[in-house]
Amino acid sequence: MRLLPAAVTLSLAVALAYYVYVPMPDAIQEPWKLMLMDAGFRATMQLASVKAWLGIDHYIGSIRRSTAGFEGMMEGLLGPEQGGGVMPGVKVSDITFAGVPVRVYEPPAGGEGHLRRGLMFIHGGGWALGTGKRGSYDTIGRMLSDELNTVVVSVEYRLYPEVHFPVPYLDCLAAAKHFLSPEVRARYAIDPERVAVSGDSAGGNLAAAVAQEISTDETMSAKFSVQALIYPVLQALDFNTPSYLQNQNIPILHRPLMVHFWLQYLGADLSLLSQALANNHSALENSNITPELRARLDWTALLPPKHKRDHKPLIPKKGFQGTWKEVPGLLDVRASPLLAGPEVLAKCPRAYVLTCEHDVLRDEGLMYARRLQDAGVSVTSDHYEDGFHGCLSFITWPLEFDVGKRALRGYLDWLQDNL
Ligand SMILES: *[C@@H]1O[C@H](CO)[C@@H](O)[C@H](O)[C@H]1NC(C)=O
C-alpha cells in the first residue's frame, strides 16, 4: 500500500501551502518569496508564543535568538560582508556615547584639513528587536559611511522587555546630544552644518522624536540639518487609518503585531490588544484627546483622495477610558511625533520621508510629511508603489527584493544630495 504515504505527503503539502499562502496585491513583485519569508517570521513568532506559554523561554528572547541564529547561519554561508560589498576602508568601532553603546563607522578619507558629514542611525524592530551590528543594518552603516564619506553612528539603545518608553527615546537623545557636542565633532572632524538623524520603522519614530527635541533645544550649539525617516512609526491613537485597514495582512508588519509592539513600548497591559484594534483607547469620551490633537492625525483632511479611498474614520463614542489612563505615554509627543504642534514642526530640519504603499504605517508617514510641509519645512516624500514595510532590510541574497534595493538607492541618493 503506497497510498497512505502519498496521502500523508499530499496533506502535508496542502497544509504547508495553506500556511504559507497569503493573498498579495498585484503590485507586489516576487510575491512567493515574500510569502515564504512571512511564513518563516510567523513560525518564529508562533514557536516563541508556545515556548512562552510553556514557560521555557521569554517571548521576545526566543524571537531574538531565532533571528540571531538565522543571521549567524547566513554569515556562515556567505561571509560577514554578505552582499554589501567589502568596504575595507571603513573603520568600525564599538564604543559608548554618554553611556549608550554605539557602533561608529568612519570613512576611509581622513579628517585632516577637511570636515566630513555625520549621520546618526537608529535601527527598527518594534522597540524590542534588532541591532545595528548585524545583517542589513550593518551593511547599510558601512555603505552610508563609504559612499557618502560620512561618520555614521548606529545607536544600540535599550529594548523591551528590559525597558520601555521613555528609556529607548532617552538613550537615543543622550547619544544624539553627545554626537553633536563640540568635543565629539572635533574628534571626528564633522561639519556642524551637515549632520543627519535617520532611522527606519521604530527607529524612524525615535529619529523623528529626537529631531523635534534637539530642534527646540536652545542650548544646543549644533543641530541636525536633515532628518531621513524610513517608514516611521508616528502615532498610536488611530489603528484604523486606511493603510492600517488596507494592509492589515500584508507581510511582514501585520496590523496586530504593530499594535502589540505599541502596547509593549508604552508599558501597557497586552490584554488591551482587541480594545486598541477597535480604537477604543481613543474614544470620544477620552477628553484628554482634544479636538486640536485629533486634527493632527486627521487623515480625512491630511491624506490625498488616492489614499483615503472610501474609508470612514473610526472614533468610538465610548471606549475603555480607565485602563488607558495608566498609559500616560499615549499622548506623549516623544512617543508619537505626529502629535507635535505646528510651532514644533516649524523648527524641525529638512526631511526625507520614505513610505510604502503596502504598509500599515503608510498614512502616518504621509501625514507627517504633509504636516512638516504645512509648517514650512522642506520635505521630500519618496513613495514606493510596490513597497512593503521593512523592504530596505531585504537587500542581500537570498532575502533580497528589487524594491528594497531601489528604496535603499533612493535614500542614499537623497542623502548624497541633501546632507
Ligand atoms: C469597545 O468599547 C465598547 C464600549 O465600552 C465595548 O462595548 C466594546 O466591546 C469594546 N470593544 C472591544 C473590541 O473590546
Side-chain angles (χ1 to χ4, degrees):
M1 282 305 284
R2 294 267 169 78
L3 220 50
L4 191 61
V8 170
T9 310
L10 185 67
S11 322
L12 282 176
V14 169
L16 186 67
Y18 185 77
Y19 185 77
V20 170
Y21 181 77
V22 197
M24 290 283 170
D26 291 341
I28 297 280
Q29 290 161 9
E30 310 165 270
W32 277 101
K33 200 195 278 183
L34 188 56
M35 280 182 225
L36 279 170
M37 194 171 78
D38 184 56
F41 283 128
R42 274 186 287 132
T44 303
M45 289 189 284
Q46 281 153 1
L47 184 68
S49 300
V50 172
K51 284 201 219 161
W53 183 73
L54 291 173
I56 54 177
D57 201 352
H58 186 277
Y59 180 70
I60 296 290
S62 165
I63 295 178
R64 279 185 200 157
R65 270 182 288 284
S66 301
T67 42
F70 179 78
E71 281 169 346
M73 190 179 81
M74 293 320 293
E75 280 188 8
L77 280 171
L78 303 167
E81 304 274 353
Q82 33 165 319
V86 183
M87 283 160 269
V90 176
K91 182 180 159 210
V92 178
S93 12
D94 293 317
I95 55 171
T96 60
F97 270 17
V100 179
V102 295
R103 172 168 278 197
V104 181
Y105 303 86
E106 289 173 76
E112 308 88 36
H114 71 281
L115 295 176
R116 306 177 289 191
R117 299 184 275 193
L119 183 141
M120 170 159 277
F121 191 86
I122 308 174
H123 72 78
W127 305 282
L129 305 168
T131 162
K133 294 185 185 176
R134 280 200 308 265
S136 55
Y137 287 126
D138 189 48
T139 304
I140 292 172
R142 288 168 198 268
M143 286 175 90
L144 280 166
S145 181
D146 187 58
E147 205 177 295
L148 276 64
N149 192 33
T150 299
V151 177
V152 177
V153 173
S154 181
V155 192
E156 294 292 304
Y157 56 99
R158 284 169 286 174
L159 301 169
Y160 178 91
E162 286 76 26
V163 298
H164 53 71
F165 177 80
V167 177
Y169 162 82
L170 294 174
D171 280 357
C172 293
L173 183 64
K177 286 186 170 175
H178 187 75
F179 189 31
L180 290 165
S181 70
E183 303 76 50
V184 174
R185 279 189 277 121
R187 188 194 322 152
Y188 292 104
I190 293 171
D191 184 342
E193 308 283 321
R194 302 175 82 185
V195 189
V197 62
S198 183
D200 71 314
S201 194
N205 164 279
L206 294 163
V210 166
Q212 289 183 0
E213 173 58 28
I214 300 270
S215 307
T216 50
D217 182 345
E218 297 310 330
T219 68
M220 297 292 298
S221 63
K223 300 193 175 199
F224 291 114
S225 56
V226 305
Q227 55 177 326
L229 312 177
I230 302 167
Y231 30 76
V233 188
L234 295 163
Q235 61 88 26
L237 286 184
D238 189 356
F239 298 128
N240 290 273
T241 60
S243 61
Y244 257 112
L245 296 176
Q246 181 190 318
N247 302 309
Q248 49 188 316
N249 297 317
I250 303 287
I252 52 173
L253 188 62
H254 300 259
R255 180 170 170 256
L257 178 62
M258 185 61 237
V259 179
H260 186 96
F261 280 143
W262 262 119
L263 294 173
Q264 290 181 345
Y265 186 45
L266 296 177
D269 193 325
L270 301 181
S271 66
L272 292 175
L273 186 73
S274 61
Q275 297 271 351
L277 286 167
N279 273 358
N280 263 6
H281 59 300
S282 54
L284 272 179
E285 67 173 355
N286 188 346
S287 55
N288 291 330
I289 313 175
T290 60
E292 197 185 5
L293 276 181
R294 288 191 193 275
R296 293 176 184 169
L297 62 139
D298 178 5
W299 55 263
T300 64
L302 293 165
L303 286 184
K306 169 180 180 274
H307 287 120
K308 284 194 275 193
R309 300 217 191 147
D310 48 7
H311 290 285
K312 298 272 174 289
L314 177 64
I315 309 176
K317 284 199 178 61
K318 282 179 74 64
F320 207 67
Q321 209 183 12
T323 317
W324 284 94
K325 283 220 173 100
E326 286 127 47
V327 191
L330 187 61
L331 297 181
D332 196 320
V333 291
R334 300 173 304 166
S336 296
L338 187 58
L339 294 180
E343 69 293 348
V344 170
L345 297 186
K347 292 193 169 135
C348 282
R350 201 148 31 100
Y352 168 88
V353 185
L354 188 152
T355 47
C356 291
E357 179 64 20
H358 306 285
D359 177 3
V360 292
L361 304 176
R362 176 195 71 197
D363 294 345
E364 48 206 79
L366 293 172
M367 285 193 274
Y368 198 54
R370 166 78 192 271
R371 290 199 53 226
L372 283 167
Q373 219 152 21
D374 289 352
V377 176
S378 155
V379 181
T380 301
S381 183
D382 195 8
H383 185 70
Y384 289 83
E385 287 293 341
D386 56 343
F388 58 92
H389 190 83
C391 61
L392 259 93
S393 292
F394 306 110
I395 50 170
T396 51
W397 189 87
L399 296 183
E400 63 182 336
F401 286 83
D402 182 62
V403 64
K405 292 189 194 177
R406 269 186 285 120
L408 176 60
R409 182 45 46 209
Y411 168 72
L412 290 168
D413 287 350
W414 187 86
L415 286 169
Q416 186 68 279
D417 296 342
N418 291 277
L419 175 56

